[in-house]
Amino acid sequence: MDLNELNGIAADQQASRKPCVIRCCTAAGCQSAGSAAVLKALQQAVAEAGKQDAVEVRSVGCLRLCCQGPLVQLDPDQRMFQKVRPEQASSLVAALDGGTTDAEPCDPAAPFFALQANVVLVNSGRIDPEQIEHYIAADGYQALAKALTEMTPQDVVEAVTRSGLRGRGGAGYPTGVKWSLVARSQGERKYVVCNADEGDPGAFMNRSVLESDPHSVLEGMAIAGYAVGASQGYIYIRGEYPLATQRLQTAIRQAGRLRLLGTHILNTAFDFRIDIRIGAGAFVCGEETALMASIMGERGTPRPRPPYPAESGLWGYPTLINNVETFANIPQIIRRGADWFASLGTPKSTGTKVFSLTGKVRNTGLVEVPLGTPLRVLVEDIGGGSPSGYIKAVQTGGPSGGCVPAHLLDTAVDYESLAAVGSIMGSGGLIVMDDENNMVDVARFFMGFCMDESCGKCIPCRAGTVQLHRLLTRILDRKATRRDLVLLEQLCGMVRETSLCGLGQTAPNPVLSTLRYFRHEYEALLRGERRHGGPHPDDQ
Amino acid sequence: MAVRTLTINDKLVSSPEGATILQAARENGIDIPTLCQLDGLSTVGACRLCLVEVGPAGRLQAACVTQVAEEMVVRTETPKLREYRRMIIELLLTERNHVCSVCVANHHCELQDLAVKLGVDHVRFEYLHPHLPVDVSHELFGIDHNRCILCTRCVRICDEIEGVHTWDVSGRGTNARIISDLNQPWGDSPTCTSCGKCVQACPTGAVFRQGSTVAEMEKDRQRLRFLLTAREKREWLV
């Protein structure tokens, strides 16, 4: 395989494209709503209408508006339909020629779609994730070819640094800096690891990217391997994502067959293999040192850093660990240039971010926006507001994050602004809450999650989260005294400062942030008032 | 060997490069409390008692795993550290059953000693009182999970010194347990050599010699020191 052959595959794919395409979402959200049957019915309907030569029924990745699945989109007129049932298939096929259909339309020009960006999700909902030719026809693997033939590894690191890309796993560490650390580290072997152990409650960004466009992650990893000097990559994916795992396996096999992975990639001296490691259901394995222990077949518990993985990672060799979305951004940075990427978002938080919008909001689903977009746009315009008409808070960053109250909804979504209001960007979960949600209850939910997911290695996290959960339960049961509230705050501070890894250090965040903005709800319970979720005093 | 000069509690001390803050402090007669650390075993930084404040910002770092650096400024005793250490002991005391008056290790227990030293005269948290088993299926020894603080000294000494790895940890969070082999009774363990090193390493009365009653179990740490010297220096000093 060389560049000419790659371009040949793209041209063949373009040439064989049928005039009409019916795209049916088969990502996990729509599949659980029954899209597999819809896809089959559509294929049958096309065959029955004798239109196989003119119409392609394509299984695509996420079409974003997950709450209205199964979603179907018609190409070329881009009309979209929601909650499609298999029996509507024949009328949808007829609609291609201007016929009528009883399928429920969904407006692709609605704010939910119109206000979104298309960088990481550019191929999501357009290409068939199980067909490498589709990805190649959408300029896939061009970035890898460009990196291998026109750029030195230093050039690649330099481009990633210049793009301003920051780690999409949550902490926001500059990706270029991480790459250059691993590139400079001495080691007879190096590894590239993709962290796909997405475990935050309410988060499904990485799953959607892997299910919709797995090749973009593989290409990003291969480029990273070239940049840092690694020839082996691992994708650590959680066991709860069988469809994403299966699509990744298919993608790795297809890329290997075309020599886009393996040895002598694109007729160069560069070798890169990718293997999948499947997690067994431990949230803590998303922490990089625990993840590496798990890959090496050990018990998934974190270890103190330093040494950082960049110096001593898998089996003691320098290891680069990035999130799924970070890798998915790489091919475009290389292909379209670092300056193009840096022009998106804000100067300190460049590019876009994928969020999974869930909770008390009309439109739940997958959302990609430029960084710096106000939270209000995400929740009220794209999300369509809450069905009850009242938004109390938005929880960002999962169990490590915090609740942003309604009066701060104009906060820009970028790493610094969210940190300034006591939350974090995190991996991209956004949970909207209304007046039915008691914030103490919310804090206890996340504390219960951290308690169950603590590995048990260090005492503050193992025993501290249990006591925090007990204190919150006592407050909710209206059995707590003012002393308990003081103890709760002291223990939060102690667990945050003394825990061994990020899971424990950030476990008190949901409590601390609700105490910061919704202390009155704690106080009300202390006074013995019934649980309530009424409006915030500042909003009245 | 290069020497690093650092300040611990306003005292200028020097220490060989690569040494940990804990080693440097102990060399200079400065005591830092520890539970999971045991000389001769790998360090895991799990108990968090040896946290010290490092640098002008006072960042908390585990002394047992943090290497000394030139001009490092370390504080081992501050009000905050004392409070956090107290809380850690309180959390341990509430997590399982640590009733000293009926424990084989009474008066010979590191957890008890630390509680006394740190002034833990009462506990602010709720006792959890879990129902945990006592395994006395081994002919010489027993393990009482109620006394276990999951420091993993037994796991490490069995793996690193005896070279057997009979012990490991199962479960997670507060449900984590020390297990022998594939979570089978200790007495059925085909790998255990009955060497008793875990009994000597245990900081509390969790792993004990059968037949000892309240306060009777004294640890013979000299035996571990002897083994260590023999392994590292090839000197068989009794």
Side-chain angles (χ1 to χ4, degrees), chain A residues 81-95:
Chain A
F81 298 93
Q82 61 191 32
K83 294 192 171 164
V84 177
R85 297 189 305 276
E87 57 269 27
Q88 295 167 329
S90 47
S91 74
L92 278 170
V93 174

Side-chain angles (χ1 to χ4, degrees), chain B residues 132-169:
Chain B
L132 297 174
V134 180
D135 180 355
V136 285
S137 57
H138 192 280
E139 56 176 344
L140 295 174
F141 313 117
I143 177 165
D144 181 353
H145 292 284
N146 294 288
R147 307 281 196 243
C148 175
I149 58 168
L150 294 168
C151 67
T152 69
R153 280 189 191 178
C154 54
V155 176
R156 285 174 283 150
I157 203 159
C158 188
D159 178 46
E160 296 166 14
I161 308 295
E162 180 65 4
V164 170
H165 206 130
T166 295
W167 296 116
D168 212 315
V169 184

Side-chain angles (χ1 to χ4, degrees), chain A residues 102-134:
Chain A
D102 55 347
E104 196 179 332
C106 169
D107 181 11
F112 179 82
F113 300 102
L115 294 175
Q116 292 204 33
N118 272 309
V119 177
V120 173
L121 300 179
V122 65
N123 292 324
S124 172
R126 303 191 67 81
I127 64 168
D128 183 339
E130 302 196 34
Q131 306 273 348
I132 191 171
E133 293 80 10
H134 286 205

Side-chain angles (χ1 to χ4, degrees), chain B residues 213-238:
Chain B
T213 184
V214 174
E216 274 189 0
M217 193 177 66
E218 288 188 53
K219 312 267 179 178
D220 181 10
R221 288 281 152 68
Q222 285 309 309
R223 195 169 147 220
L224 298 179
R225 172 56 59 190
F226 163 80
L227 285 170
L228 198 64
T229 316
R231 286 175 74 98
E232 287 179 354
K233 300 184 180 159
R234 303 263 159 207
E235 292 171 10
W236 306 84
L237 307 168
V238 182

